Amino acid sequence: MDFSQIEAAGKQLFERYPRTRRILKRVYHLAGRLFSREHIRSRGHLFRITPKDSWEYFYGYYDKSPWDATDRYLLALRARCTWRQPAPGQSAVLVLLDMENPDKVRRLAVTRAWNVQQGCMAQWLGPDNHSRIIYNDFRNGRYCSVILQVKDRTEEKVLPLPVYDVSRDGHFALSLDFSRLHRLRPGYGYSNLPDTTAGQLCPDSACIWRMDLQTGKVTELLRYTDLASFMPSPSMEGAEHKVNHLMIRPDGKRFMLLHRWIKNGKKHTRLVTADCDGQNLCNLSDDVFVSHCFWKNNEEILSFLRKKATGDHYCLLRDQSSVYRMLWPDLTRDGHCSYSPDGKLVITDTYPDRKRLASVYLCQEHEDKSQRIAQVYSPFRYDNDCRCDLHPRWNRRGDTICIDSVHEGKRAMYLLPLRGLDLS
């Protein structure tokens, strides 16, 4: 059993006792850092793209690209402090970075609906991915999303729901219950409004909505009770349910979600897919643990998950079937995975190890081994719900990676060019 397997076993052992687990994790990492001979800050060809000023910069999640269609401009969020959760209504600034003028940062908008893991869901709006962006905000006592013309910073429209994921053609978005998500998973929801479902284990209320970006029309897709009644498990009895990580497949016809329920501190997760009208649900993987996922194409999903026969690994699953295959046996630690635009390469990362070092890996499906291309240190200041996950993301050409990192003492964005790497 290697260290990653020992760490995974320890995590499972203390899953019901999160406070104890956090204390033991801190002691373990302190000991690992103290007795390590490798006191490095970073390895790999990393280039900082955000300024060295009084702000902290980051983009957010791994399933979206901060780059516009030309690969010249990047979106970023800047805030004064990201080592603690933002207070309700606290603002952050959405800015535009110019690859040709790195010192020039253009202010686009202010948002009051953001978190340190996924920002304000800012993303370029299709189909051109160049002229408009959409981001989440909090206005007039409600969460909303805003479509902004980048050139003159004109607000095109304010929509009635915050977005979680947007179809590639820019026609519609999916949204979820950000207040319940914040209560049950701090760092991923928003804290401005109280959770009206608090005290309800499985509310008979909507958890996923579809919103037309042209008209603003909102359609309820699924309720918590819909998910609980779909292929129910005895482990759901008396458990508290939530939904997270919506991802629309490339053609916009189906989406995936993670359905999670917690009982006595023990968490159970399954990967569910559905048509974008909420019909034809599929329980794609249900062996207790499913983590980060990514649509490779309209039929296949890459995910780090648990299979009873093989343990925790990256697997490529075929939607609406039981077909899957394990990839890269050497990668046994959870990470944020995504395919390059041409589908030939996969980038992923790890959480900080016992030495507080997180890594970025480049993979190819036909190769059994992964290739580590970067490693960065994570200070103890950034941990738990306010940790800085690397969240590696592709540019549009597929030749450069962007990550968030704190190895220089503040949250910032860095580029990892792939040119010159041996990918044979």
Side-chain angles (χ1 to χ4, degrees), residues 153-334:
R153 294 185 295 181
T154 300
E155 287 188 2
E156 184 175 303
K157 63 182 69 174
V158 179
L159 295 157
L161 287 182
V163 300
Y164 196 98
D165 198 20
V166 178
S167 64
R168 293 192 182 185
D169 60 12
H171 287 173
F172 73 94
L174 297 180
S175 184
L176 50 65
D177 187 346
F178 282 93
S179 292
R180 185 175 178 90
L181 180 58
H182 170 76
R183 182 175 64 83
L184 295 176
R185 189 69 169 96
Y188 289 84
Y190 305 137
S191 63
N192 307 47
L193 296 175
D195 174 19
T196 58
T197 67
Q200 302 176 55
L201 296 178
C202 187
D204 187 21
S205 59
C207 59
I208 301 175
W209 297 264
R210 174 175 173 146
M211 180 170 65
D212 188 299
L213 298 187
Q214 304 302 314
T215 66
K217 179 184 177 182
V218 173
T219 305
E220 179 184 309
L221 294 189
L222 291 168
R223 295 183 163 224
Y224 293 102
T225 47
D226 292 333
L227 291 170
S229 61
F230 169 64
M231 298 182 65
S233 161
S235 62
M236 294 181 186
E237 296 178 10
E240 192 165 26
H241 294 249
K242 66 176 179 177
V243 170
N244 201 1
H245 299 313
L246 313 180
M247 290 187 190
I248 303 168
R249 83 180 192 185
D251 68 0
K253 294 183 179 180
R254 285 179 67 78
F255 71 98
M256 72 170 97
L257 63 99
L258 293 187
H259 174 207
R260 285 178 170 154
W261 55 97
I262 305 103
K263 183 177 180 181
N264 298 325
K266 186 173 178 59
K267 182 169 63 177
H268 191 127
T269 306
R270 65 177 176 179
L271 174 59
V272 176
T273 60
D275 292 346
C276 282
D277 61 1
Q279 301 299 308
N280 295 320
L281 272 65
C282 172
N283 183 3
L284 196 56
S285 189
D286 194 9
D287 283 354
V288 180
F289 171 75
V290 182
S291 191
H292 307 99
C293 307
F294 192 85
W295 286 100
K296 178 186 178 183
N297 49 45
N298 291 328
E299 304 298 332
E300 296 174 295
I301 294 173
L302 177 65
S303 177
F304 189 86
L305 48 75
R306 181 171 303 150
K307 290 295 183 184
K308 292 177 181 176
T310 56
D312 296 359
H313 290 283
Y314 284 100
C315 291
L316 189 63
L317 306 97
R318 181 163 292 276
D319 190 19
Q320 296 180 288
S321 80
S322 59
V323 176
Y324 75 93
R325 61 188 175 100
M326 190 179 77
L327 302 175
W328 316 300
D330 62 312
L331 288 183
T332 58
R333 296 172 61 198
D334 190 8

Side-chain angles (χ1 to χ4, degrees), residues 58 93 97 104 132 156 160 194 214 216 240 278 280 319 336 346 354 386 415:
F58 66 106
V93 182
L97 308 174
K104 184 179 180 181
R132 301 179 300 161
E156 184 175 303
Q214 304 302 314
E240 192 165 26
N280 295 320
D319 190 19
H336 305 87
V346 170
R354 64 190 183 280
C386 293
L415 301 184

Side-chain angles (χ1 to χ4, degrees), residues 345-362:
L345 299 171
V346 170
I347 197 76
T348 192
D349 63 350
T350 67
Y351 294 107
D353 61 14
R354 64 190 183 280
K355 302 174 185 177
R356 299 292 296 173
L357 296 175
S359 299
V360 180
Y361 287 92
L362 190 66

